[in-house]
Amino acid sequence: MMLEGKRILLGVTGSIAAYKAAYLVRELVRAGADVRVLLSPGAREFVTPLTFSTLSKHPVVSDFTSDREAGIWNNHVDMALWADLMLIAPLSANTLAKMAAAQSDNLLLATYMSVRCPVMVAPAMDHDMYMHPGTRANLDILRSYGHTILEPAEGELASGLYGKGRMGEPEDIFRAVVDHFHPRLPLRGMQALVTAGPTFERLDPVRFIGNFSTGKMGFALARSLADAGAEVQLVTGPVQLTMSHPLVQVTRVESALEMLQAVQSHAQAQIMVFAAAVADYRPAKRAEVKMKRSADDLNLQLVPNPDIAATMGASRQPGQVLVGFALETDGGEEQARAKLERKNLDLVVLNSLQEEGAGFGGDTNKITLFWRDNRSASFGLKPKSAVAQDIVNEIVKLLPA
Ligand code: C5P
């Protein structure tokens, strides 16, 4: 996980954007970070500690004491020294001014004054407050301390006005945090597309032609690409799997035609991996009502489906890297090489159904890679996550420098 073991102190201050910090906590925790949330007194007007303690799985503090009677003091110095990163999102004009003036009249500020780790802030305020020379000067002071300012976005503001001052979206702040910890992720800022799973081709309202693909390999690839920093569109046919990764967006489709349409809407992706087991044929016509049993033979007429990989290969853009799969029961190597050419791909991943532990359904795979320059390389039997990592390493090498 991208933020495994990273200790993040999140300060939330009094701005309507405080609700967005809840999404941010969820994403950070999902990515493996240990998140402790501090609320400024103003933040509690907008959000409750319960929201954040539930999402961060830790108590949320906002006062110097948690229990005045029992004399329990929240040690801001311990908290400050614990953190690998302090993130203040949203940062209100008021807390900004206090930070710039080195004031410490609440727990969030006292903790801020005590941290030794890097500080990132995401200002959020009304346009005119943001444009005020005092605010500009305060932001300059924070910049001069080496703090990272995540610039607010332009857009509609809670006041009804339009302008700059909206806090950046949680996904963008999340990405900035990942960039901070992993400035050299190889696929940072790139877009990738992965197809996964089977397709179902309907015969009538209750029946379909399908296959045994579970989507595991495609899902593992999507996760590896995202862990390498790419923003991934995962287009999957009907599978049981779920995906929760802040950099992966899932589109669920049923048939090959739907999959093609979804893929074409992401044609700009620099990386495309076709791991879906797309049905080669679909019924020529789909019955509107359930087909009835009869004593006669039944002949189904099938028509070919579009080849999604070949379609994208034919219209490929310079600099794109296209990867396909070949799942063969016989003549694997020849088939794999033919697919490279025919579909205009850069890399084909062959998994042979004859190999024990390879192919559909299982958690392991054993692959051979084929490149356009006639090279090939065989890998050992590994978990699908490790196989995905091997493939992503090769994709990185194929990208233009
Ligand atoms: O030709 P074959 O089906 O064996 O090729 C397999 C490769 O092509 C896989 O990468 C698969 O995802 C892709 N493919 C596709 N659309 C199809 C058939 C296969 O994208 N209709």
Side-chain angles (χ1 to χ4, degrees), residues 60-388:
V60 168
V61 286
S62 53
D63 294 318
F64 285 106
T65 51
S66 324
D67 187 339
R68 228 172 265 274
E69 305 288 288
I72 296 175
W73 184 56
N74 291 318
N75 190 330
H76 58 89
V77 178
D78 279 355
M79 244 183 324
L81 297 184
W82 165 86
D84 297 320
L85 173 72
M86 182 165 196
L87 172 64
I88 305 179
L91 173 64
S92 66
N94 181 46
T95 299
L96 167 65
K98 289 184 171 184
M99 287 166 75
Q103 289 185 17
S104 57
D105 66 353
N106 65 46
L107 185 69
L108 192 157
L109 289 164
T111 309
Y112 160 70
M113 295 281 291
S114 313
V115 295
R116 295 183 189 166
C117 62
V119 177
M120 288 170 99
V121 300
M125 60 199 76
D126 213 62
H127 179 71
D128 296 297
M129 291 175 89
Y130 183 68
M131 296 314 286
H132 191 280
T135 301
R136 325 269 356 125
N138 289 336
L139 283 170
D140 284 341
I141 291 174
L142 262 54
R143 251 183 227 109
S144 76
Y145 299 156
H147 299 349
T148 304
I149 319 286
L150 304 172
E151 293 290 335
E154 202 161 299
E156 201 176 310
L157 300 162
S159 59
L161 295 175
Y162 186 93
K164 200 168 172 181
R166 246 174 106 105
M167 187 176 87
E169 293 307 315
E171 306 88 75
D172 296 326
I173 298 175
F174 173 82
R175 224 167 284 135
V177 172
V178 171
D179 282 354
H180 166 79
F181 285 111
H182 305 285
R184 268 179 267 284
L185 278 179
L187 301 180
R188 181 179 162 194
M190 290 203 175
Q191 293 177 325
L193 172 131
V194 178
T195 67
T199 64
F200 286 179
E201 310 296 333
R202 282 184 191 232
L203 288 160
D204 70 14
V206 296
R207 303 185 182 92
F208 59 85
I209 297 176
N211 61 67
F212 292 121
S213 168
T214 58
K216 282 181 185 169
M217 196 58 238
F219 274 60
L221 275 157
R223 179 169 288 281
S224 286
L225 288 163
D227 282 347
E231 282 173 43
V232 182
Q233 296 289 340
L234 172 60
V235 178
T236 179
V239 293
Q240 299 295 324
L241 301 174
T242 56
M243 167 66 71
S244 88
H245 190 300
L247 294 182
V248 182
Q249 207 181 329
V250 182
T251 305
R252 292 184 188 268
V253 297
E254 187 179 279
S255 64
L257 289 177
E258 286 172 19
M259 186 174 276
L260 175 64
Q261 200 177 18
V263 167
Q264 282 176 324
S265 69
H266 302 294
Q268 78 293 346
Q270 285 115 310
I271 300 165
M272 293 193 177
V273 183
F274 303 100
V278 184
D280 289 328
Y281 296 92
R282 66 177 183 278
K285 49 179 191 294
R286 180 189 290 185
E288 292 300 323
V289 292
K290 190 178 164 197
M291 292 157 65
K292 297 282 182 302
R293 181 193 180 93
S294 85
D296 303 331
D297 289 355
L298 173 67
N299 288 306
L300 286 176
Q301 195 194 348
L302 302 177
V303 294
N305 265 328
D307 186 322
I308 300 168
T311 306
M312 301 319 285
S315 61
R316 57 182 299 156
Q317 308 290 316
Q320 269 183 331
V321 171
L322 269 47
V323 181
F325 274 71
L327 179 72
E328 303 297 338
T329 47
D330 59 312
E333 178 162 350
E334 229 167 282
Q335 299 283 347
R337 288 198 196 281
K339 265 167 226 188
L340 269 177
E341 292 291 330
R342 184 157 37 88
K343 304 189 189 218
N344 203 14
L345 307 173
D346 301 287
L347 186 65
V348 163
V349 182
L350 170 69
N351 38 90
S352 166
L353 277 179
Q354 284 163 332
E355 304 266 6
E356 185 93 18
F360 280 162
D363 290 316
T364 56
N365 207 354
K366 187 169 184 307
I367 59 162
T368 306
L369 298 182
F370 294 87
W371 287 264
R372 281 306 266 271
D373 59 9
N374 279 324
R375 270 184 308 135
S376 68
S378 294
F379 294 75
L381 186 71
K382 298 178 183 196
K384 284 187 172 166
S385 57
V387 173

